[in-house]
Amino acid sequence: MIPTLKSNIRRCNIYQTLCVKTKCDNAIKYNYSILDESKNIVSTVNIYDFQMKNFDWLLMSDLQTAPKQRNKGYASRLIHKAIDDFLNNSFCKGIYLFVKKNNGNAIHLYHKLGFEKLKTYKLQDGDYLIMINGNADISQFNNMQFS
C-alpha cells in the first residue's frame, strides 16, 4: 500500500507528499511528488514496475526539482520515501536508475542515498551509469537490453 502523506517539515517547507499509482503501457507507474503550500509541484520522481518474470528490480526515473527549489532536500526526501515504500516493505528487492556518466552532482546524490554503480551502459544519447540499491540478484542485468 502506498500512502498519501501530509507533512509540515520546516526544513523542507513540504506541504504534501503524494504518490499516485497508474497503469501505463507495459508497466505500473508510481509518481511521487512534493507540493508546496500553493500545491505547485516542487519535486517529482517516477518508479516503474515492468512486472517482468525473473527480474526483481524497479526503475527509478524522471527525477526533477524546480530550479529555485534545488539543494533543499526535496529529491532526497522523495527517494527516501520510495526506498521505504518499496525496499523496506518487501514490495521489491531492488531499485535501479540510469544517470548520465558525466552528471557528477546526480551521481553524488544517488551514492549518498545508498545507490551503487553497477555498470556503464551506452544509449543513443550517450553513456550512462546503471546505479542500484537493494538486494536483488544483479546477474538479472546480464541479459537485459535497454533502449
Side-chain angles (χ1 to χ4, degrees):
M1 178 170 72
I2 309 299
T4 299
L5 299 178
K6 285 192 177 180
S7 151
N8 289 318
I9 298 175
R10 296 183 195 278
R11 187 175 71 81
C12 291
N13 296 324
I14 296 170
Y15 171 71
Q16 196 170 33
T17 303
L18 300 173
C19 180
V20 178
K21 177 181 173 182
T22 56
K23 181 83 172 151
C24 64
D25 297 326
N26 59 343
I28 295 173
K29 177 174 104 173
Y30 300 87
N31 173 261
Y32 286 81
S33 296
I34 292 177
L35 307 179
D36 65 12
E37 293 83 3
S38 301
K39 298 199 177 186
N40 296 311
I41 293 176
V42 172
S43 190
T44 186
V45 68
N46 293 318
I47 306 289
Y48 294 92
D49 179 359
F50 292 102
Q51 301 180 315
M52 293 184 288
K53 191 174 185 177
N54 300 320
F55 193 73
D56 299 321
W57 297 87
L58 300 181
L59 171 65
M60 180 184 304
S61 182
D62 311 317
L63 178 64
Q64 299 174 44
T65 301
K68 291 182 179 179
Q69 301 298 331
R70 292 183 182 157
N71 299 310
K72 295 181 181 179
Y74 294 117
S76 295
R77 178 162 170 86
L78 287 175
I79 293 169
H80 277 295
K81 180 68 181 131
I83 288 170
D84 185 54
D85 284 352
F86 294 109
L87 294 183
N88 297 337
N89 292 317
S90 301
F91 184 82
C92 76
K93 295 181 182 175
I95 296 174
Y96 72 102
L97 58 87
F98 292 90
V99 60
K100 284 208 172 194
K101 194 174 177 179
N102 63 356
N103 190 344
N105 290 337
I107 293 167
H108 177 73
L109 170 68
Y110 295 133
H111 182 71
K112 199 167 71 171
L113 296 172
F115 285 83
E116 300 174 10
K117 297 175 187 175
L118 177 65
K119 65 180 183 178
T120 301
Y121 201 85
K122 191 169 203 65
L123 293 174
Q124 291 176 342
D125 63 337
D127 291 340
Y128 286 80
L129 291 175
I130 296 177
M131 297 185 76
I132 59 170
N133 189 334
N135 296 316
D137 181 4
I138 61 173
S139 71
Q140 294 174 345
F141 283 94
N142 292 342
N143 298 319
M144 293 300 297
Q145 295 296 315
F146 301 102
S147 57

